[in-house]
Amino acid sequence: MREIRPDPLQRLGATSAAVAGLHEIIAEEEALGEVLKRVVRTAARASPRADLVSISVLAEDIWRTAAQTADAAVALDREQYAVDRGPSLESVRLRGPVRSRIGRGHERWPEFEVAAVRAGVRAYLSVPLVVDIRDSEQLLGALNVYSYSADAFDPFDEGLIGLYATAAGQAIANARRWQRARESVLQLERALESRAEINQAKGALMAIHGCTAEQAFERLVEQSQHNNIRVHTLAKRLLGSLRTEPRSE
């Protein structure tokens, strides 16, 4: 007996709601790891028959699952990584969707099929997840959707999940840009803080030794080289020692 599939409008509405959930990534300015978690959570809402969702990524020739809605999805992904074949990997290599029922791909990837049957999964859909950064496409990996229903996915679902993956790729790209910008700001803040502490240490040495700013800096550099520590670290220690020295009565 075939299961009743949700009507197209219901499925379209679910995907639209999931895409709307991705907009919060920009508003919240989440870190990349949190973005990927949000992507799989909202992807689970993009298709009414999605029971497990994961993101497979390939970095330096090593596959890994970057985010998932449940550990069962990770187990299915790892079966594919171990033998270097399966629908997730095929989607990345073909740069296109891979959709089928369990039982139809036994000759292509038997290990995955056995693991899917063991997990109760009866259908799967993987679509490539592409991130556009600096006007060049970078393939991040695959968005994998697993279902306990054999009739979970048809060409319409494939198109909807593909559209969702496109929106998710843009959200991930925005998160990466934000993360890089944040790191640059933090580096600049640290550099300014270091510079300020070095100037304060120079001022302290000028007052103690009655020397010029250039001579004070030379003292810092000389001590830095002698003790094999950074000038900023030496300046910070000097300022700390001055703050903790007891005042003379």
Side-chain angles (χ1 to χ4, degrees):
M1 180 178 177
R2 293 180 62 85
E3 299 179 25
I4 299 175
R5 188 188 306 278
D7 64 72
L9 284 178
Q10 180 183 348
R11 286 181 277 169
L12 179 60
T15 303
S16 298
V19 171
L22 293 175
H23 293 167
E24 297 177 17
I25 292 173
I26 302 174
E28 297 293 334
E29 295 185 333
E30 294 173 319
L32 183 58
E34 293 302 314
V35 169
L36 296 179
K37 291 178 183 178
R38 183 184 291 273
V39 167
V40 294
R41 288 198 302 267
T42 52
R45 301 199 299 268
S47 175
R49 297 293 180 85
D51 293 303
L52 305 170
V53 181
S54 68
I55 293 178
S56 297
V57 298
L58 179 63
E60 299 180 354
D61 296 325
I62 298 176
W63 286 98
R64 69 181 181 90
T65 298
Q68 71 282 336
T69 56
D71 290 340
V74 180
L76 290 173
D77 294 343
R78 286 176 177 169
E79 288 289 340
Q80 301 175 66
Y81 307 156
V83 295
D84 197 36
R85 62 181 177 183
S88 305
L89 283 60
E90 188 82 354
S91 176
V92 173
R93 288 164 180 161
L94 295 178
R95 290 198 172 220
V98 175
R99 170 180 56 86
S100 190
R101 295 184 186 181
I102 297 301
R104 294 180 177 177
H106 188 75
E107 293 183 1
R108 298 177 67 187
W109 31 70
E111 301 86 359
F112 167 74
E113 291 261 333
V114 170
V117 170
R118 187 166 57 243
V121 169
R122 301 177 65 189
Y124 54 86
L125 170 60
S126 292
V127 295
L129 194 57
V130 179
V131 179
D132 183 10
I133 297 178
R134 297 179 182 175
D135 301 323
S136 63
E137 282 193 345
Q138 295 184 355
L139 185 63
L140 175 66
L143 177 66
N144 313 305
V145 186
Y146 304 111
S147 178
Y148 299 135
S149 171
D151 295 324
F153 311 120
D154 62 9
F156 188 67
D157 295 290
E158 183 180 301
L160 289 177
I161 295 298
L163 288 173
Y164 173 82
T166 299
Q170 184 60 52
I172 294 169
N174 290 338
R176 279 187 169 182
R177 293 188 187 99
W178 173 80
Q179 196 168 47
R180 287 172 179 167
R182 183 174 180 273
E183 288 171 357
S184 296
V185 170
L186 289 175
Q187 289 174 1
L188 178 58
E189 288 178 344
R190 285 193 290 267
L192 292 173
E193 181 181 353
S194 299
R195 186 65 183 174
E197 288 178 328
I198 290 172
N199 285 333
Q200 290 175 32
K202 283 167 55 179
L205 290 174
M206 290 167 64
I208 294 171
H209 299 286
C211 60
T212 65
E214 184 177 352
Q215 291 170 334
F217 185 68
E218 288 176 354
R219 281 176 175 268
L220 285 173
V221 172
E222 182 180 347
Q223 287 297 314
S224 170
Q225 294 172 345
H226 178 73
N227 295 292
N228 195 29
I229 58 176
R230 297 172 60 187
V231 172
H232 166 241
T233 303
L234 181 64
K236 195 169 185 178
R237 288 181 182 177
L238 173 61
L239 293 173
S241 66
L242 292 175
R243 295 190 187 104
T244 57
E245 285 182 359
R247 294 180 179 179
S248 57
E249 294 295 336

